[in-house]
Amino acid sequence: MTDRPKISLEQKLSKHPHLKNRIEQLLKIVENADGDFKKADEAEKRVIEELRKMGNEVLHDWAANRENQEAEASTKKGLAKNGKKK
């Protein structure tokens, strides 16, 4: 295992503001902060909507991170391959 320092959930979420926002929205539903939900069906519809949005945003973030990793790997590979300038 690596000796990386543990990063708190709050620190991780601060790096992903879209995800943090969706989790806050889900917590509002749980707490019924706005008093919007009188029935479970209403809350369920809202939870499903929020989870769909969260899933979409997570996959977009994942794809962007993966693209960056691929670009970095290609750059490193290209630098190692070329070596000196001629």
Side-chain angles (χ1 to χ4, degrees):
M1 296 222 304
T2 61
D3 291 331
R4 287 190 269 173
K6 285 193 173 186
I7 300 172
S8 73
L9 180 58
E10 184 66 31
Q11 290 170 321
K12 289 180 181 182
L13 286 174
S14 68
K15 293 179 183 179
H16 304 281
H18 296 299
L19 184 56
K20 183 177 180 179
N21 182 46
R22 289 290 163 225
I23 291 172
E24 287 172 348
Q25 293 301 318
L26 288 169
L27 288 171
K28 277 182 159 181
I29 295 167
V30 170
E31 295 168 350
N32 199 14
D34 299 329
D36 293 342
F37 310 112
K38 305 294 184 217
K39 296 183 179 182
D41 286 352
E42 297 167 353
E44 180 184 25
K45 287 178 187 176
R46 184 70 184 279
V47 166
I48 291 169
E49 178 184 328
E50 289 299 325
L51 289 174
R52 284 184 178 155
K53 289 177 184 178
M54 184 188 316
N56 190 14
E57 290 168 354
V58 165
L59 288 175
H60 282 291
D61 286 348
W62 174 85
N65 286 334
R66 186 70 181 133
E67 189 175 302
N68 289 338
Q69 290 172 349
E70 293 283 330
E72 286 178 20
S74 294
T75 301
K76 286 179 183 177
K77 196 175 195 179
L79 290 175
K81 189 184 244 186
N82 292 336
K84 288 184 178 179
K85 280 187 173 180
K86 294 183 179 181

